[in-house]
Amino acid sequence: MRLDGKVALITGGSTGIGEAVTERFVREGARVAIIGRDRARLERTVENIGSGGGKVIGIVGDVQYAKDVQRMVEDTLNLWKQIDVLVNNAGICSPAPFLELSEDEWDRHMAINLKGSFLVGQQVARVMVKQDTGGSIINMSSVNGLAAEADQAHYNATKGGINLLSMSMALELAPLGVRVNALCPGFIETRLTKPLIDNPAAFGPYLQTIPMGRVGTPADIASAALFLASNDSAYMTGHCMVVDGGQLIKLS
Ligand SMILES: NC(=O)c1ccc[n+]([C@@H]2O[C@H](COP(=O)([O-])OP(=O)(O)OC[C@H]3O[C@@H](n4cnc5c(N)ncnc54)[C@H](O)[C@@H]3O)[C@@H](O)[C@H]2O)c1
């Protein structure tokens, strides 16, 4: 098993991509703490994944508040004494045309997607440096951090910020044994993308933009996250890894 003996903390781990990553990490031998705001949803995911005998706990918290983040990290350490892998996955996305984008929506996206990644990343990196056994941090970015999509200026900006945050963290933490990479999924089938999938008139043409001719699954992203978390990527840091069925390479 590729994560035997490792402890992972995964934000937004009770749904979509985060849930698939949790399930995969547990199957590979990790103990996983999942963070989310909704207690019932966390409990359901813990029950589903943990019932196979794996070790997974849920911690209620909001990544945009430093006090919550401190408590999540402390709860994980109190139980398992170490954190080896962090997946900064919590994120939101509510499209709005640039000319109508409100200050509140801008702030909300910055606070959860970008500031949340900073707060959790900093707290966990401090733990990893102190325990002196190295670590891997994976920041969930997006192809929207590498190219612009209409009606997503605020979301695009947070994901572009996450890519540079990841490189900056990688630069300073490499000499201290902590690797930091960004994972940039394309269009993945989750509740975030359901409105487009449920609209056949819009979804048909959208699918034409993906050379592989299909949308991605949360399991596709979990495989990439496992690679970045494990020693298979031991010499990789500061990288933005695109997993998008070829969408970004297509000019028209
Ligand atoms: N689905 C896609 O096509 C796609 C593509 C690229 C990147 N992503 C990124 O992947 C990540 C997961 O998205 P998903 O598609 O699985 O959607 P999702 O809505 O299922 O997952 C987001 C998770 O983050 C949690 N969350 C949101 N705000 C939070 C907060 N303040 N504190 C703690 N938890 C919070 C949510 O409760 C949820 O569990 C996001 O960062 C998203 O931007 C998704």
Coordinates of all heavy atoms in Angstrom, one line a residue, residues 144-189:
N144 N -8.8 26.3 -14.6 CA -9.1 27.8 -14.5 C -8.0 28.6 -13.9 O -8.1 29.8 -13.8 CB -10.4 28.0 -13.7 CG -11.6 27.4 -14.5 OD1 -11.6 26.2 -14.9 ND2 -12.7 28.2 -14.6
G145 N -7.0 28.0 -13.3 CA -5.9 28.7 -12.8 C -4.8 28.9 -13.8 O -3.8 29.6 -13.6
L146 N -5.0 28.3 -15.0 CA -4.0 28.4 -16.1 C -4.6 29.1 -17.4 O -3.8 29.5 -18.3 CB -3.5 27.0 -16.4 CG -2.8 26.3 -15.3 CD1 -2.7 24.8 -15.6 CD2 -1.4 26.9 -15.1
A147 N -5.9 29.1 -17.5 CA -6.6 29.8 -18.6 C -7.9 30.3 -18.1 O -8.5 29.8 -17.1 CB -6.8 28.8 -19.7
A148 N -8.4 31.4 -18.8 CA -9.6 32.1 -18.2 C -10.9 31.5 -18.8 O -10.9 31.2 -20.0 CB -9.5 33.6 -18.6
E149 N -11.9 31.3 -18.0 CA -13.2 30.9 -18.5 C -14.2 32.1 -18.2 O -14.1 32.7 -17.1 CB -13.6 29.7 -17.7 CG -14.9 29.1 -18.2 CD -15.3 27.8 -17.5 OE1 -14.6 27.3 -16.6 OE2 -16.3 27.2 -17.9
A150 N -15.0 32.4 -19.1 CA -16.0 33.5 -18.9 C -16.9 33.2 -17.7 O -17.2 32.1 -17.3 CB -16.8 33.6 -20.2
D151 N -17.3 34.3 -17.1 CA -18.2 34.3 -15.9 C -17.6 33.7 -14.7 O -18.2 33.3 -13.7 CB -19.5 33.5 -16.2 CG -20.3 34.2 -17.4 OD1 -20.1 35.4 -17.6 OD2 -21.1 33.5 -18.0
Q152 N -16.2 33.6 -14.7 CA -15.5 33.0 -13.6 C -14.3 33.8 -13.1 O -13.4 33.3 -12.6 CB -15.0 31.6 -14.0 CG -16.0 30.7 -14.6 CD -16.6 29.8 -13.5 OE1 -16.6 30.1 -12.3 NE2 -17.2 28.7 -13.9
A153 N -14.4 35.1 -13.3 CA -13.2 36.0 -13.0 C -12.7 35.7 -11.6 O -11.5 35.6 -11.4 CB -13.5 37.4 -13.3
H154 N -13.6 35.7 -10.7 CA -13.3 35.6 -9.3 C -12.7 34.2 -9.0 O -11.7 34.0 -8.3 CB -14.5 35.8 -8.4 CG -15.8 35.2 -8.8 ND1 -16.1 34.9 -10.1 CD2 -16.9 34.7 -8.1 CE1 -17.2 34.3 -10.2 NE2 -17.7 34.2 -9.0
Y155 N -13.4 33.1 -9.5 CA -12.9 31.7 -9.4 C -11.5 31.6 -10.0 O -10.6 31.0 -9.5 CB -13.9 30.8 -9.9 CG -13.6 29.3 -9.8 CD1 -13.7 28.6 -8.6 CD2 -13.2 28.6 -10.9 CE1 -13.4 27.3 -8.5 CE2 -12.9 27.2 -10.8 CZ -13.0 26.6 -9.6 OH -12.7 25.2 -9.5
N156 N -11.4 32.0 -11.3 CA -10.1 31.9 -12.0 C -9.0 32.6 -11.2 O -7.9 32.0 -11.1 CB -10.2 32.7 -13.4 CG -11.3 32.1 -14.3 OD1 -11.7 31.0 -14.2 ND2 -11.7 32.9 -15.3
A157 N -9.3 33.8 -10.7 CA -8.3 34.5 -9.9 C -7.8 33.7 -8.7 O -6.6 33.7 -8.3 CB -8.8 35.9 -9.5
T158 N -8.8 33.0 -8.0 CA -8.4 32.2 -6.8 C -7.5 31.1 -7.2 O -6.5 30.7 -6.6 CB -9.6 31.7 -6.0 OG1 -10.3 30.8 -6.8 CG2 -10.5 32.8 -5.5
K159 N -7.8 30.4 -8.4 CA -7.1 29.2 -8.8 C -5.7 29.6 -9.3 O -4.7 28.9 -9.1 CB -7.9 28.4 -9.8 CG -9.2 27.8 -9.2 CD -8.9 26.9 -8.0 CE -10.2 26.2 -7.5 NZ -9.9 25.3 -6.3
G160 N -5.6 30.8 -10.0 CA -4.3 31.3 -10.5 C -3.5 31.6 -9.2 O -2.3 31.3 -9.2
G161 N -4.1 32.2 -8.2 CA -3.4 32.5 -7.0 C -2.9 31.2 -6.3 O -1.8 31.2 -5.8
I162 N -3.7 30.2 -6.3 CA -3.3 28.9 -5.7 C -2.1 28.3 -6.4 O -1.2 27.8 -5.7 CB -4.5 27.9 -5.7 CG1 -5.5 28.3 -4.6 CG2 -4.0 26.5 -5.5 CD1 -6.8 27.5 -4.6
N163 N -2.0 28.5 -7.7 CA -0.8 28.0 -8.4 C 0.5 28.7 -7.9 O 1.5 28.1 -7.7 CB -1.0 28.1 -9.9 CG -2.0 27.1 -10.5 OD1 -2.4 26.2 -9.8 ND2 -2.5 27.3 -11.7
L164 N 0.4 30.0 -7.9 CA 1.6 30.8 -7.4 C 1.8 30.6 -5.9 O 3.0 30.5 -5.5 CB 1.4 32.3 -7.7 CG 2.3 32.8 -8.9 CD1 3.8 32.6 -8.6 CD2 2.0 32.0 -10.2
L165 N 0.8 30.4 -5.1 CA 0.9 30.1 -3.7 C 1.7 28.8 -3.6 O 2.6 28.6 -2.8 CB -0.4 30.0 -3.0 CG -0.4 29.5 -1.6 CD1 0.3 30.5 -0.7 CD2 -1.9 29.3 -1.1
S166 N 1.3 27.8 -4.4 CA 1.9 26.5 -4.4 C 3.4 26.6 -4.7 O 4.3 26.0 -4.0 CB 1.3 25.5 -5.3 OG -0.1 25.4 -5.1
M167 N 3.7 27.3 -5.8 CA 5.2 27.5 -6.1 C 5.9 28.2 -5.0 O 7.1 27.8 -4.7 CB 5.3 28.3 -7.4 CG 4.8 27.5 -8.6 SD 5.0 28.5 -10.1 CE 3.5 28.2 -11.0
S168 N 5.3 29.2 -4.4 CA 6.0 30.0 -3.4 C 6.2 29.1 -2.2 O 7.3 29.1 -1.6 CB 5.1 31.2 -2.9 OG 4.7 31.9 -4.0
M169 N 5.2 28.3 -1.8 CA 5.4 27.4 -0.6 C 6.5 26.4 -1.0 O 7.3 26.0 -0.1 CB 4.1 26.7 -0.3 CG 3.0 27.6 0.2 SD 1.4 26.8 0.3 CE 1.6 25.5 1.5
A170 N 6.4 25.8 -2.2 CA 7.4 24.8 -2.6 C 8.8 25.3 -2.5 O 9.7 24.6 -2.0 CB 7.1 24.4 -4.1
L171 N 9.0 26.6 -2.9 CA 10.3 27.2 -2.9 C 10.9 27.3 -1.5 O 12.0 26.9 -1.2 CB 10.2 28.6 -3.5 CG 11.5 29.4 -3.8 CD1 12.4 28.7 -4.8 CD2 11.1 30.8 -4.3
E172 N 10.1 27.7 -0.6 CA 10.6 27.9 0.8 C 10.6 26.6 1.6 O 11.4 26.5 2.6 CB 9.7 29.0 1.5 CG 9.8 30.4 1.0 CD 9.2 31.4 1.8 OE1 9.2 31.4 3.0 OE2 8.5 32.3 1.2
L173 N 9.7 25.7 1.2 CA 9.7 24.5 2.1 C 10.5 23.3 1.5 O 10.8 22.4 2.3 CB 8.2 24.0 2.2 CG 7.2 25.0 2.8 CD1 5.8 24.6 2.8 CD2 7.7 25.3 4.3
A174 N 11.0 23.4 0.3 CA 11.8 22.3 -0.3 C 13.0 22.0 0.6 O 13.3 20.8 0.9 CB 12.3 22.7 -1.7
P175 N 13.8 23.0 1.1 CA 15.0 22.7 1.9 C 14.6 22.1 3.2 O 15.4 21.5 3.9 CB 15.6 24.1 2.1 CG 15.0 25.0 1.2 CD 13.6 24.5 0.9
L176 N 13.3 22.2 3.6 CA 12.8 21.7 4.9 C 12.1 20.3 4.7 O 11.5 19.8 5.7 CB 11.9 22.7 5.6 CG 12.5 24.1 5.7 CD1 11.4 25.1 6.2 CD2 13.6 24.1 6.8
G177 N 12.1 19.8 3.5 CA 11.6 18.4 3.3 C 10.2 18.3 3.0 O 9.6 17.2 3.0
V178 N 9.5 19.5 2.7 CA 8.1 19.4 2.4 C 7.9 19.8 1.0 O 8.3 20.8 0.5 CB 7.3 20.4 3.3 CG1 5.8 20.4 3.0 CG2 7.5 20.1 4.8
R179 N 7.2 18.9 0.2 CA 6.9 19.1 -1.2 C 5.5 19.8 -1.3 O 4.6 19.4 -0.5 CB 6.9 17.8 -2.0 CG 8.3 17.1 -1.9 CD 8.3 15.9 -2.9 NE 7.4 14.9 -2.5 CZ 6.3 14.5 -3.2 NH1 6.0 15.1 -4.3 NH2 5.5 13.5 -2.7
V180 N 5.3 20.7 -2.3 CA 4.0 21.3 -2.5 C 3.7 21.3 -4.0 O 4.5 21.9 -4.7 CB 4.0 22.8 -1.9 CG1 2.6 23.3 -2.0 CG2 4.5 22.8 -0.5
N181 N 2.6 20.8 -4.4 CA 2.3 20.8 -5.8 C 0.8 21.2 -5.9 O 0.0 21.0 -5.0 CB 2.4 19.4 -6.4 CG 3.9 19.0 -6.5 OD1 4.6 19.5 -7.3 ND2 4.4 18.1 -5.6
A182 N 0.5 21.7 -7.1 CA -0.9 22.1 -7.4 C -1.5 21.0 -8.3 O -0.8 20.6 -9.2 CB -1.0 23.5 -8.0
L183 N -2.7 20.7 -8.1 CA -3.4 19.7 -9.0 C -4.5 20.5 -9.7 O -5.3 21.2 -9.1 CB -4.0 18.6 -8.1 CG -4.7 17.4 -8.8 CD1 -3.9 16.9 -10.0 CD2 -4.8 16.3 -7.8
C184 N -4.5 20.4 -11.1 CA -5.4 21.3 -11.9 C -6.3 20.4 -12.7 O -6.1 20.0 -13.8 CB -4.6 22.1 -12.8 SG -3.4 23.2 -12.0
P185 N -7.5 20.0 -12.1 CA -8.5 19.2 -12.8 C -9.1 20.0 -13.9 O -9.3 21.3 -13.8 CB -9.5 18.8 -11.7 CG -8.9 19.1 -10.4 CD -7.9 20.2 -10.7
G186 N -9.6 19.3 -14.9 CA -10.5 19.9 -15.9 C -11.9 19.8 -15.4 O -12.2 20.0 -14.3
F187 N -12.8 19.4 -16.3 CA -14.2 19.3 -16.0 C -14.5 17.9 -15.4 O -14.4 16.9 -16.0 CB -15.1 19.5 -17.2 CG -16.5 19.6 -17.0 CD1 -17.1 20.9 -16.9 CD2 -17.3 18.5 -16.8 CE1 -18.5 21.1 -16.6 CE2 -18.7 18.7 -16.5 CZ -19.3 19.9 -16.5
I188 N -14.8 17.9 -14.1 CA -15.0 16.7 -13.3 C -16.5 16.6 -12.9 O -17.0 17.6 -12.4 CB -14.1 16.6 -12.1 CG1 -12.6 16.9 -12.5 CG2 -14.2 15.3 -11.4 CD1 -12.0 16.0 -13.5
E189 N -17.0 15.4 -13.0 CA -18.4 15.2 -12.7 C -18.7 15.2 -11.2 O -18.4 14.2 -10.5 CB -18.9 13.9 -13.3 CG -20.4 13.7 -13.2 CD -20.9 12.5 -14.0 OE1 -20.1 11.8 -14.6 OE2 -22.1 12.3 -14.0

